[in-house]
Amino acid sequence: MKKIIRMMLLAALICFGLTACGSNGTENSRQQENRSVNNEAEVNRQDTETGAEDTESSSEQTEEEEQAAEEQVTEETASNQSGTLVVYFSCTGTTKGLAEAVAEELNADLYEIVPEEPYTSEDLDYHDDNSRSTKEMDDPSSRPAISGSVENMEQYDRIILGYPIWWGEAPRIVSTFVESYDFSGKTIIPFCTSGGSGIGSSADALETLAGNGTWLKGKRFDGSESGEDVRKSLGIE
């Protein structure tokens, strides 16, 4: 009987030991799993923080790039809006070429006086007393219509006005132009192109028609000059 009891006690001890080992093994396994989960969570947290830092850095870089781009646009806009407008009328292209060169030299805006009714070669025949240009120049009150207009004239404080010489004067369509705007507070610098005739009193006549603005002394060019030549000759800085 005692032997049976000892055997039963021994079996119970063995079972208890196995249970304890199993429990310890399970606990150890759980601890390992927890450590693994914690490690993975820590890695994920670090990755998240790193990603956030990268995103923040990228965002800051993007903002800097956008700011730089805006500053560049602002500088270009300020450069383009120089406050100077080059206005010209040209039928044969001589005044046009010179005006474009001046505008490029000064980084100024450019406006062409375009007639609603374009001039033909017959219109420009000064040998014909019945040609359109001859009739217009014989009539001081003639005001040929202009197609379009200068937008935001108020933003310009300096106007460079170019035109050819017709019969010793500025074409009547240029008179139409100067009578169409208020030049108060603006400086007007005239220039003309011709094969030989000087600027004469053409600029003074335009100043009288304008009625306001500060008109500087104009110059005559033959059309072969560069933009820099014209700028220096007109005393434009």
Side-chain angles (χ1 to χ4, degrees), residues 89-92 94-95 124 126 133 137 161-172 174 190-204 206 218-221:
F89 170 67
S90 182
C91 281
T92 63
T94 302
T95 308
L124 300 176
Y126 64 91
S133 57
M137 299 311 296
L161 178 61
Y163 53 86
I165 290 293
W166 287 4
W167 290 264
E169 300 179 68
R172 300 300 182 200
V174 180
F191 74 88
C192 73
T193 59
S194 74
S197 300
I199 196 168
S201 62
S202 64
D204 294 334
L206 293 175
K219 294 288 184 70
R220 171 258 175 193
F221 301 95

Side-chain angles (χ1 to χ4, degrees), residues 4-24:
I4 294 172
I5 293 173
R6 283 198 298 270
M7 290 179 65
M8 291 177 63
L9 290 173
L10 179 61
L13 290 173
I14 292 173
C15 289
F16 179 77
L18 291 174
T19 301
C21 289
S23 177
N24 290 336

Side-chain angles (χ1 to χ4, degrees), residues 52-70:
E53 292 175 356
D54 291 342
T55 300
E56 183 178 356
S57 176
S58 176
S59 177
E60 291 177 354
Q61 183 177 5
T62 300
E63 291 177 357
E64 291 177 356
E65 291 174 351
E66 290 178 352
Q67 183 177 0
E70 290 176 357

Side-chain angles (χ1 to χ4, degrees), residues 64-124:
E64 291 177 356
E65 291 174 351
E66 290 178 352
Q67 183 177 0
E70 290 176 357
E71 291 176 353
Q72 182 177 357
V73 170
T74 301
E75 291 176 358
E76 291 176 354
T77 301
S79 178
N80 290 336
Q81 295 180 347
S82 61
T84 299
L85 176 66
V86 177
V87 178
Y88 73 93
F89 170 67
S90 182
C91 281
T92 63
T94 302
T95 308
K96 172 183 172 69
L98 209 57
E100 290 176 341
V102 173
E104 183 177 359
E105 171 73 15
L106 298 175
N107 193 28
D109 291 338
L110 188 67
Y111 173 77
E112 178 182 6
I113 299 173
V114 178
E116 282 191 357
E117 181 184 352
Y119 289 89
T120 66
S121 57
E122 289 78 10
D123 292 337
L124 300 176

Side-chain angles (χ1 to χ4, degrees), residues 23-43:
S23 177
N24 290 336
T26 300
E27 182 65 23
N28 291 336
S29 177
R30 288 177 180 172
Q31 291 178 353
Q32 291 177 354
E33 289 177 358
N34 289 337
R35 283 196 295 269
S36 177
V37 170
N38 290 337
N39 289 338
E40 183 176 355
E42 177 65 18
V43 170

